[in-house]
Amino acid sequence: MIVARLITLSGLAPAALPQERQLLPLSEHRTGPAAREAADVALAEQIREIHTDSSGTYGAPRVAAGRVRLGTPPQHPPPPLPPRADVPDRLREHLDREVDHAVPGRMNPCPKFGVKAPPHALPPSGHESITRMAIGHASLVRLARRELPPAVADQWVGLLRPSLHLRAADEDEPLVGQLGGVPVLPDGFAWPHWDGYGPLAFVAEIDCGQLPSSTLSMPRTGTLLFFCADGQVGSDPYSGWPPTVRGDPENRAAARVVYIPAGTPVSERNGPAGIEPYSLVELAGELFTTGPAWDSPVFREAIAHLDDDIHAFMSDSSNQKSFGEALWDLMPKAPGRHRISGHADPIQEAVELDVAHTRLDGAVPYGNPALHEEALRWTLLAQFDSDEQAGMRWGGAGCLYWLMRPHDLATRRFDAALFTWQRD
């Protein structure tokens, strides 16, 4: 089905493909996941070849083209490449969408990331992001078919979501943001503060203009800043880490997301007295596919109609452990579980339950159906793990999570984001 739709999109007939890669009609394919995965790989290889032949014009990774590192002057633009006459228009449009968020000439509001790209700047050559997304999805489908009953696997696969894994950038690698360091803030904008506690610590900055925004349902422009209470300031009962408990209504004030629209005049800002910055870690991004946690509210809702045998399977902790270990083996292994969008990677219970508890002022206990219903409305915006390079240790080996409701994200109401944390 996937391959057939992409061939239709491309305008190619099977006979038009190179002989050694000619795709059979669906009726002649073997049925089952293995055949579909093989067909997906073949199509990915075709896109990869087009990308290589075009010197990086088509099929380039969606992540972060045109980003210039600190102190690096803009380079003279290379001459524009001619269009590929042998690429069908519909396939060219499909491939061009892979770079629609790396538009040359886009200006970001952040001085350290905001060097304007040259008029004809091209994305770096390579296809890592496309390959990672394709392989990640296929691998998770295989995992689900192997580890879960068919009816459960179908529901879990239907909930897969794309995410952007954040990791320390290599030299000369395009950047999407940073951990630690100092943020940029609009002139006259007050540093985020929690009344009764003090100033919040700066955690991370994400340049939305460098994200694959349509894939992740994120803003196409602007900058996101993340702050939280980290125990540097504050007195009892808010001294030390953590200053609040999971699901506490006070978590509304204990963290904050700031969105800065593109074009806003900004400058770097040191923190107030008592707030020492974390070490700067520049971040690169890689698209990958995420699945819901075992106790994720959306997953539990999806399988609620299944029979008693399925619920017995889901209640067996050994099945949860086996599935979790197999899933862990597939996840990106770069230090830190930092990510934008997708499904959260919880350390304890589903983080959606924590923010639902906060949203309902702590009045609805865990396990109550009303808490489950509220939790269904929330999805991950970002999570930032403990990070040795940045000097971030959230309770030793904890993780910070910000979640939003989709309609708030669509209208950029980042003040409506809710925060929770978890640790071992």
Side-chain angles (χ1 to χ4, degrees), residues 399-416:
C399 197
L400 311 179
Y401 306 86
W402 279 267
L403 286 83
M404 293 187 72
R405 292 167 295 196
H407 65 274
D408 289 331
L409 179 58
T411 55
R412 301 188 182 185
R413 289 196 59 228
F414 290 97
D415 59 322

Side-chain angles (χ1 to χ4, degrees), residues 172-221:
D172 296 327
E173 191 172 17
L175 306 179
V176 299
Q178 68 183 60
L179 290 177
V182 296
V184 294
L185 288 170
D187 298 339
F189 185 90
W191 186 277
H193 188 275
W194 177 9
D195 291 341
Y197 170 86
L200 304 179
F202 170 63
V203 176
E205 177 179 315
I206 300 297
D207 180 355
C208 296
Q210 300 298 336
L211 301 179
S213 301
S214 293
T215 301
L216 302 177
S217 299
M218 294 288 289
R220 295 172 62 95
T221 61

Side-chain angles (χ1 to χ4, degrees), residues 252-396:
R252 286 192 182 97
R256 188 171 173 188
V257 180
V258 175
Y259 175 69
I260 306 175
T264 303
V266 294
S267 58
E268 289 191 343
R269 183 90 61 85
N270 292 318
I275 295 294
E276 291 295 326
Y278 290 97
S279 298
L280 173 65
V281 178
E282 294 178 325
L283 298 173
E286 298 170 329
L287 278 170
F288 73 115
T289 307
T290 60
W294 192 263
D295 63 344
S296 163
V298 293
F299 184 32
R300 292 297 174 145
E301 182 75 7
I303 63 173
H305 67 285
L306 300 179
D307 60 33
D308 291 343
D309 289 343
I310 294 299
H311 292 287
F313 175 89
M314 295 297 298
S315 299
D316 188 333
S317 61
S318 64
N319 294 329
Q320 179 179 1
K321 180 180 179 182
S322 175
F323 184 72
E325 290 174 349
L327 185 60
W328 172 255
D329 289 341
L330 296 178
M331 291 298 100
K333 295 303 185 288
R337 293 172 292 181
H338 316 303
R339 67 180 61 170
I340 299 294
S341 196
H343 289 284
D345 183 9
I347 297 173
Q348 298 174 342
E349 292 180 281
V351 297
E352 294 87 354
L353 297 173
D354 286 352
V355 298
H357 197 259
T358 297
R359 176 70 177 82
L360 298 175
D361 296 320
V364 178
Y366 286 85
N368 188 297
L371 192 73
H372 171 83
E373 289 299 318
E374 179 62 30
L376 290 171
R377 300 185 175 100
W378 295 85
T379 188
L380 183 70
L381 171 65
Q383 72 175 56
F384 298 104
D385 201 359
S386 294
D387 191 287
E388 183 176 353
Q389 189 174 349
M392 296 176 176
R393 298 176 181 86
W394 312 123

